[in-house]
Amino acid sequence: MAAMVSTVWAQQISGTWNGQLDLQVMKLGIVFHFDEGKCSIDSPDQGAKGIAGEVKELSERRVDVAFPSIAAAFSGELQDGKIVGTFRQMGRELPLTLKPGDIVRQRPQTPQPPYPYATREVTFQNDAAHATLAGTLTLPADFEAQKNRPVVLMVTGSGLQNRDEEIFDHKPFAVIADYLARHGIASLRYDDRGFGQSTGEVANATTADFADDAEAGIRFLRTMNFSEKNGRKTREKPLFSKVGILGHSEGGSVAFMLGAKQAVDFIVALAAPGIKGDTLLVEQTNALLELSGQPAKMTLKQMRLTMAMQETNPWYDFFTEYDPAADIAATRCPVFALNGSLDKQVLPESNLNAIREILTGNTSHSTLHTSHFTKIYPSLNHLFQHAKTGATTEYNAIEETISEEVLRDIAEWIGALK
């Protein structure tokens, strides 16, 4: 239940208020924050926060504010404890009624303390990039008594994200770390460079640079030791028996880059690209067009023409030209690659099939206990949530953060590695 945090004091509307814009095809939640004559808005369904407003009027009963960065405005009047008004954007007017409080979203899988395992805040260095990566090392409860457990480094998808890969208040990496720790597997998740508590240059960074960050994390985990006494002698032994990597989306490309360098002992690739970036973008665009009821006729030639007319950046240029086939082919360690059947960002039919064929030629009879294992999960989207269509607009509305079946399979597969 939303806390009633909004009040009317100092002759001004204050506090947090929320409402829904009815766009016919969907309803969009919006949150207003009024604080000492200032205003900002959040659009939780779009993952946008802190959009600054220019206040024209803010009194005991009325509000009139513009948001230049999104070409929008809102005006309304306090009536019976609600602000009743109109939201305007790009020539369109929509009724909007705000009620006190924030939008409260249920995320039942988010781990809550006290935890039955240990966590340590750590940092590691990518010296070549002058980057310090800050993260959380999660260790199973009986770790000290049973040394030489496996550990997995988690790498986020595209766009700067925190160590939990947080999106719409979902924290997939925190949920995965929690599940793995409860099943005897350690993990390290970290804030992307230049984000959260991590430092480093990002304006010109590409997937290859993020792979260098991940490799620094792998080296860090391999240098962690414990002291073992044998009679009068004490020797240092590696803390972890195997050091692997779990990458989601772009993080899956990072995983195969390190696999090709023989830097990791195993790979879990969640919705990893298996085809060249420009081709992936064409497929993604057509899938989203089809979902919105529009003709899905984008071609590679049209995509290339569109790209030529747009201002790009080093990350985008690298992404569109990168073909993961060579790195996948050079990977020798065990791989568990998985996709959801409703993934509209990295389509499983082309990407996972390409990974399967490159790794082993034909794994149609593979099982969870084979070294290379691929699986498409019915009704799961790009975030591995149970979904209806797989549209990105569903991510926020779904309470589930990640399928329990996926969590179980990841833990079982890692635990079965010899």
Side-chain angles (χ1 to χ4, degrees):
M1 181 177 176
M4 304 296 285
V5 298
S6 298
T7 56
V8 179
W9 30 285
Q11 303 302 309
Q12 288 182 340
I13 293 172
S14 299
T16 300
W17 302 70
N18 79 88
Q20 282 194 330
L21 290 170
D22 190 346
L23 305 178
Q24 296 184 339
V25 294
M26 63 178 290
K27 292 185 177 180
L28 191 67
I30 189 167
V31 180
F32 282 70
H33 302 284
F34 300 104
D35 182 21
E36 297 182 353
K38 298 179 181 179
C39 177
S40 65
I41 58 172
D42 304 334
S43 180
D45 296 322
Q46 297 172 307
K49 294 184 178 181
I51 302 171
E54 295 180 356
V55 175
K56 298 180 180 180
E57 180 182 359
L58 189 58
S59 65
E60 183 179 354
R61 301 199 60 82
R62 283 196 54 78
V63 57
D64 187 2
V65 59
F67 302 94
S69 65
I70 58 171
F74 173 74
S75 59
E77 185 174 342
L78 192 65
Q79 299 178 15
D80 298 324
K82 298 179 180 180
I83 303 174
V84 181
T86 303
F87 188 88
R88 302 174 181 84
Q89 188 174 34
M90 299 179 181
R92 193 175 182 184
E93 295 190 358
L94 297 169
L96 177 61
T97 297
L98 304 177
K99 61 183 180 181
D102 205 340
I103 295 175
V104 177
R105 294 177 288 194
Q106 300 298 319
R107 300 292 183 254
Q109 288 178 289
T110 299
Q112 302 296 332
Y115 308 119
Y117 48 79
T119 61
R120 299 178 189 170
E121 297 304 295
V122 299
T123 60
F124 57 92
Q125 307 293 323
N126 177 352
D127 293 328
H130 306 289
T132 299
L133 293 310
T136 301
L137 181 66
T138 303
L139 301 170
D142 60 350
F143 196 86
E144 294 301 324
Q146 301 185 37
K147 302 290 194 304
N148 290 332
R149 291 294 187 92
V151 65
V152 60
L153 180 82
M154 301 188 194
V155 184
T156 67
S158 57
L160 297 181
Q161 295 175 284
N162 66 19
R163 67 193 67 186
D164 296 329
E165 203 188 34
E166 187 170 354
I167 179 172
F168 301 123
D169 291 340
H170 287 292
K171 299 180 178 181
F173 280 9
V175 173
I176 294 172
D178 177 85
Y179 192 92
L180 293 181
R182 293 172 188 270
H183 291 80
I185 300 166
S187 66
L188 172 59
R189 61 193 196 274
Y190 61 95
D191 299 335
D192 290 342
R193 68 157 71 181
F195 195 80
Q197 297 179 42
S198 293
T199 67
E201 192 270 342
V202 295
N204 297 300
T206 69
T207 307
D209 296 306
F210 297 132
D212 290 341
D213 293 342
E215 188 172 11
I218 295 295
R219 288 196 298 269
F220 170 76
L221 292 171
R222 290 199 187 280
T223 60
M224 298 187 74
N225 299 317
F226 72 95
S227 298
E228 181 182 69
K229 289 187 176 181
N230 185 9
R232 294 182 179 180
K233 295 183 178 181
T234 299
R235 61 178 178 175
E236 295 294 314
K237 294 188 64 177
L239 187 60
F240 304 110
S241 58
K242 292 182 180 294
V243 180
I245 186 169
L246 179 151
H248 179 227
S249 198
E250 182 190 17
S253 293
V254 168
F256 282 117
M257 287 176 179
L258 297 194
K261 297 173 71 173
Q262 319 304 319
V264 293
D265 298 322
F266 63 89
I267 289 172
V268 178
L270 297 160
I275 58 178
K276 190 178 176 184
D278 57 358
T279 306
L280 186 150
L281 286 177
V282 171
E283 288 192 346
Q284 182 185 103
T285 300
N286 281 328
L288 297 177
L289 286 171
E290 186 176 2
L291 277 178
S292 63
Q294 302 179 57
K297 298 181 179 179
M298 175 65 73
T299 66
L300 184 57
K301 182 178 180 180
Q302 290 172 327
M303 176 64 73
R304 282 291 183 179
L305 288 173
T306 301
M307 289 164 52
M309 293 185 291
Q310 293 178 339
E311 183 178 349
T312 61
N313 56 50
W315 180 89
Y316 188 82
D317 292 338
F318 182 96
F319 175 83
T320 54
E321 295 300 329
Y322 175 65
D323 187 339
D327 285 331
I328 297 170
T331 295
R332 297 290 179 266
C333 67
V335 174
F336 178 17
L338 53 155
N339 259 96
S341 67
L342 294 180
D343 191 336
K344 304 303 180 185
Q345 293 180 256
V346 180
L347 276 62
E349 294 82 3
S350 55
N351 289 279
L352 193 60
N353 284 342
I355 292 171
R356 177 189 298 122
E357 291 172 4
I358 295 170
L359 282 174
T360 60
N362 181 4
T363 59
S364 58
H365 301 293
S366 66
T367 70
L368 191 59
H369 299 288
T370 56
S371 60
H372 293 322
F373 177 56
T374 61
K375 184 174 181 178
I376 296 177
Y377 292 80
S379 302
L380 299 191
N381 61 20
H382 185 64
L383 301 185
F384 293 89
Q385 304 166 306
H386 284 89
K388 293 180 180 179
T389 69
T392 57
T393 51
E394 293 179 325
Y395 295 169
N396 178 48
I398 299 172
E399 292 187 3
E400 179 185 56
T401 295
I402 184 170
S403 161
E404 287 284 339
E405 183 184 3
V406 169
L407 293 170
R408 183 173 63 250
D409 282 354
I410 292 172
E412 183 178 343
W413 184 82
I414 294 174
L417 293 174
K418 303 300 183 182

